Structure formats: C-alpha cells, structure tokens
Amino acid sequence: MTMAAVDELAFHEFEEAANLLVETPHAATTCRSDQLTSQDHVAVTVGSSVGYGAEEVEEEGDKTALLQEEKPQPGFWTFGYYQSFFDVDTAQVLDRIKGSLLPWPGHNFVRHHLRNRPDLYGPFWICATLAFVLAVTGNLTLVLAQRRDPSIHYSPQFHKVTVAGITIYCYAWLVPLALWGFLRWRQGARERIGPYTFLETVCVYGYSLFVFIPTVVLWLIPVSWLQWLFGALALTLSAAGLVFTLWPVVREDTRLVAAALLSAVVLLHALLAVGCKLYFFQPLPLERVVPSLQAASLPPNILLPPTQPHPMATS
Amino acid sequence: MAEAEEPLFVGLSDISISQDIPIGGEITIPMRSHTQEFDSSTLNESVRNTIMHDLKAVGKKFMHVLYSRKSNTLLRDWDLWGPLILCVTLALMLQRGTVDGEKDGGPQFAEVFVIVWFGAVTITLNSKLLGGNISFFQSLCVLGYCILPLIVAMMICRLVLLAGPGPVNFMIWLFVVAVMFAWSVIASTAFLADSQPPNHKILAVYPVFQFYFVISWMILTFTPQ
C-alpha cells in the first residue's frame, strides 16, 4: 500500500467507517495489526446490498475498532443503563449545540456530532430551558406592554409555564417516537441502511430546538415584522438541520414517501414555532383602547347614531 | 520506598506472644458516640426537647447557608425539615388574595410545591446520572436549604413594596432579588460542584442555575394587591 493511495483513501475511509458502523452498530470488531497488507476477511460484516470496494472495506477493521468499544449493555431497569446516556462532557454538549445551529447539506448531525453516542442530557435540558424561557419572556412582554399602555390588565399568568412545559416536551419526545416508528416500518419493507435509533432521533429533535431559545429572547423586541423575521430564520435553521439529517435515510425510499415525510416534519416544526409565537406573545389588540375611550365620552343612549356627538332629545 | 520499609517488618516473624498480654480498650469514634447518645435518649426526653433539638439543627444549617462557609454539616447531617419549612413559607408568601373575585394568575400553592420538589428531584437525578457521588437526600437537602436567601429577598421585597409601587422601589427589588439569586446559586454550587468530575461541573451546575432562576422569577412577578 503506497502512501499516495493511503492519502487518496483517507477522506473516504471516514465515511465508509461511519456507514459500516451504521449498518452493524453492535458488531464485534477486532483490531488486527496486519490489516493493511492482508486480504483477510474483516470482522465487520457488510450488508449484502452495499457495494463498496473490497480494498476499502478491509481498511475499516482497525478504524471501527477505535470507534466502538466493546462493553456489555446493562438492562433497561438498572440505573447504569440510563447513566450511559449522560456520558457526555461539557465540550461535547457545546459541540452538538454548535452543530445544530449551523446545518450544512452534507453534514449529517447524527453521524458527525453524535457518532453513535446519543445523550439524553441535551434534549432534556434544552426542552426545559425553552419552556421556561417561553413562559418568562411571554410574561416580560406583558409587563413591558403594560408599562407602555396602563389599560392592559397584567397578571403573572403562571399557568403558561405548565402549558409551555407540556407542549415542548410532548413535541420533542412524541414526534421523534412517531418518526422513528414510521422509519422502522418503512425500513422493514426494504433492506437498506438502517434508520436512526430512537435516542438519536430524540437527540436530533432536541438539539434542533436550541436555536429557538435565543429567538424567543429576541421576541421581546416589540417590532412585529422583526419578530416574524427572527421566527422565520430560526425555523429555517432548525428545519434545515432536521431535513439534512433525515435525507440520507429517506432518499432510499420512494420519492412520494420521502417528500411527504420531510414536508410533514417541516410542517410540524412550523406549527410549533407559530403556535408558540401566537400563544405566548399574543399581539395585544390596540383597537381595544379606542372603543373604551369612545364609550367613556358618549352617554349610553346615543351610541346608536354615531354622527351625533352630544345628547339630543331622541325617541 | 519498599526497600526502606523492609527492615521495619522483617523482624515481625521473630515476635512470639508467650504470655497473655491484655489487649483491650475502647474503640469509639467521638462523633458517632455523640449521636448515639442522642438516639438512645430522644425516646425518653420530652417532645419539647426533641422539637427544640430539631429546630436548632435546622437553624444551624440556615446559618451555614447564609454565611456560605465551606462546612460539611449540610451534607453530613442532612434533613428535610428545613427544605419543607422553606418551601411552605415560599408558597404561602407567594399567595395573594383573589382580586375582584378572580384568580389573578399567580402561582398556586401546589404549583410552587411541585416546582420546588420536582425541580430538586430532577436536578438530583441529573447530577447522579452525570456521575456525581453525592447521595439523593443530601442533594435534596442542599437544594432546599439554599432557597433561604430567596425567602429573605421575598421578605425584603414585601417590605419595600409596602412603601408603594414606583420605579425606584422596583429597582431596589430587582437588585435585591438578583443578589439573593446569585447567593443561592453560589451556595449550592459550593456543595454540589465538588461531587462531580471536572468535565461535568458545568453540566451539573446549569440546572441548579435554572432552578433558582425560575424561583426568582416567581418572586419577581409577585405583585401584592
């Protein structure tokens, strides 16, 4: 194996390794020292429908051994099972957040950032933060509006915290469940690259909601078109991240199903954004102020003919 | 180092105990015996003494939180009476009479309770899942006791607001709540961050920050009628 050939294959190796890891996430991999020179069978079994070059496959043995460590999975009723999903560093969480903020067409979030180590910390605390930020800024908007216009009745509206929490958590956990179920069902019909696990889907959705947190804070600015602009920006970034992540899995399917699935995902996301904007940041109706002034100045029996400003003897 | 110690232990095999050397004594750890005394005697003492003993322990822990000294009393002798008293006080103070016969949208008693206790349980679970070596109830105890600065802020705010609503009063109120919020976070972080491995410290502290921020916001939105 010449150095030029190694360099030529260097970039492709990474993707091949990631794809192989996708197909057989629980495969036992061994590290062979003479992998580069021998033409032996590799320990990682390659799916029959995947047609990659044989000489590229045999480079993957030590790569996948490095990427995946062999450890026994504890049962789901033990504490240790859930502890394995919190096995992230601060740096990793920040890196995943950055990855969700800047989606890129070839840049699959699950492959490049999660790397088969999904975590539950990110989705859970991003949802909690978003719910509280929604409630707090919605309340702040009402406070600021009342300072400008004292006729608006202010109340803390504490029930909005509950509503925000339930909405965000249901969205971020039930929609991935439905999506994962749908992809599994479609995958059952064809032998292709497997879909993401449930936790990876939850991770993708959870981290994609992060961009809404600064957006919601920016919605404090009471300029309406600016609010819609920020909302549209955030929705674009977030939905783009989801679409680019789902595209490799969905493109194997028929065009109709792929288009329908992606548009459903984007539509649900848009519904969430618009719903939050309208419910927590109700545009305060200014026309409510004007009729109250009119009603105060006119006596009640003269409201029917609006052209007569002062009381006259009418029947 | 091993070579230096060998000459010390080499001669042990030569020692033989031919006569009865009385080997006896007391193995007591002063701390444990102190509490054991209490445990055996609380059954016999009067109820008033027991209650005063518990109240004094709670009061001592309040002092530890307020002066934020690096002491282990909160962790070693944890109890949940203090957090319960503080949570009930907070929930009661956040109530206000119904205005115009309608529920004015402030947090209900049950909502405050749920937020405080479920928030504390969630943070404790989070810190344990991240690999912290603090026990469940110790963590609940620390989080509950560190609400005390915010209760103090609430009392100060009620006094300030009695002087009448105005921008200056509101600024004072905001400042007091912000200072007490920082105090709460620093006090609880001092206990909780030490139990985490260094690469998880921020991950464990951020939910604590969020918890006290929510409680501060509940206090800030309180407007007495």
Side-chain angles (χ1 to χ4, degrees), chain A residues 210-284:
Chain A
F210 179 81
V211 73
F212 284 113
I213 296 176
T215 313
V216 167
V217 175
L218 284 174
W219 276 348
L220 274 176
I221 305 172
V223 180
S224 177
W225 62 267
L226 207 59
Q227 287 178 343
W228 286 107
L229 178 68
F230 284 138
L233 260 176
L235 181 63
T236 316
L237 275 177
S238 188
L242 285 177
V243 165
F244 294 147
T245 306
L246 287 175
W247 178 244
V249 178
V250 154
R251 75 179 163 197
E252 310 284 340
D253 218 330
T254 64
R255 294 195 68 121
L256 180 64
V257 171
L261 186 68
L262 288 177
S263 49
V265 162
V266 172
L267 190 67
L268 277 173
H269 224 65
L271 267 178
L272 180 79
V274 170
C276 286
K277 165 90 175 54
L278 290 178
Y279 181 70
F280 293 101
F281 298 86
Q282 273 152 358
L284 298 157

Side-chain angles (χ1 to χ4, degrees), chain A residues 79 82-84 86-91 93 121 124-125 128-130 132 135-136 139-140 147 153-159 161-162, chain B residues 96 102 104-107 111 115 122-123 125-126 128-131 170 199-204 206-207 210 213-214 217-218 221 223:
Chain A
F79 193 69
Y82 298 103
Q83 212 164 9
S84 63
F86 280 75
D87 196 10
V88 278
D89 293 342
T90 312
V93 171
Y121 179 90
F124 185 81
W125 288 110
T129 310
L130 185 59
F132 284 122
V136 169
N139 201 7
L140 265 179
R147 305 239 157 212
H153 171 63
Y154 165 76
S155 68
Q157 293 180 323
F158 200 72
H159 63 279
V161 173
T162 321
Chain B
R96 52 222 184 103
E102 63 159 40
D104 218 354
E111 279 172 341
I115 283 196
T122 310
I123 295 176
L125 275 180
N126 176 62
K128 284 189 80 71
L129 282 169
L130 281 173
F170 186 71
N199 56 348
H200 286 171
K201 275 205 207 302
I202 298 185
L203 294 183
Y206 169 71
Q210 198 180 344
F213 185 81
V214 170
W217 169 66
M218 281 200 295
T221 59
T223 54

Side-chain angles (χ1 to χ4, degrees), chain B residues 28-74:
Chain B
T28 53
I29 307 170
M31 186 180 75
R32 292 306 303 173
S33 70
H34 189 247
T35 56
Q36 271 171 11
E37 265 176 31
F38 267 106
D39 282 347
S40 60
S41 67
T42 50
L43 284 176
N44 299 327
E45 65 184 19
S46 67
V47 173
R48 183 172 164 276
N49 279 354
T50 312
I51 292 180
M52 287 311 296
H53 165 64
D54 281 334
L55 277 180
K56 272 196 217 133
V58 167
K60 203 163 75 149
K61 293 201 193 75
F62 282 168
M63 289 300 125
H64 280 287
V65 169
L66 281 181
Y67 293 121
S68 214
R69 273 180 302 131
K70 197 69 187 68
S71 77
N72 278 336
T73 314
L74 263 178

Side-chain angles (χ1 to χ4, degrees), chain A residues 9 25 81-82 89 97 119 131 134 142-143 158 160 173 180 188 214 246 253 257 259 262 268:
Chain A
L9 290 173
Y81 178 76
Y82 298 103
D89 293 342
I97 290 176
D119 69 306
L134 267 175
L142 201 55
V143 168
F158 200 72
K160 290 203 168 174
W173 294 77
W180 171 76
L246 287 175
D253 218 330
V257 171
L262 288 177
L268 277 173

Side-chain angles (χ1 to χ4, degrees), chain A residues 27 38 41 43 47 54 63 66 81 98 104 119 191 210 233 240-241 247 273 279-280 294 299:
Chain A
S38 70
H41 298 293
K63 264 283 199 263
L66 287 171
Y81 178 76
K98 263 197 306 237
W104 205 247
D119 69 306
E191 297 292 322
F210 179 81
L233 260 176
W247 178 244
Y279 181 70
F280 293 101
Q294 273 184 348

Side-chain angles (χ1 to χ4, degrees), chain A residues 48-69:
Chain A
S48 58
S49 60
V50 179
Y52 297 118
E55 73 271 14
E56 291 170 345
V57 165
E58 73 186 22
E59 310 292 336
E60 301 342 299
D62 46 355
K63 264 283 199 263
T64 46
L66 287 171
L67 283 174
Q68 178 188 4
E69 57 257 10

Side-chain angles (χ1 to χ4, degrees), chain A residues 171-185:
Chain A
Y171 179 80
W173 294 77
L174 293 181
V175 172
L177 182 67
L179 184 66
W180 171 76
F182 181 77
L183 286 176
R184 284 293 284 236
W185 172 61

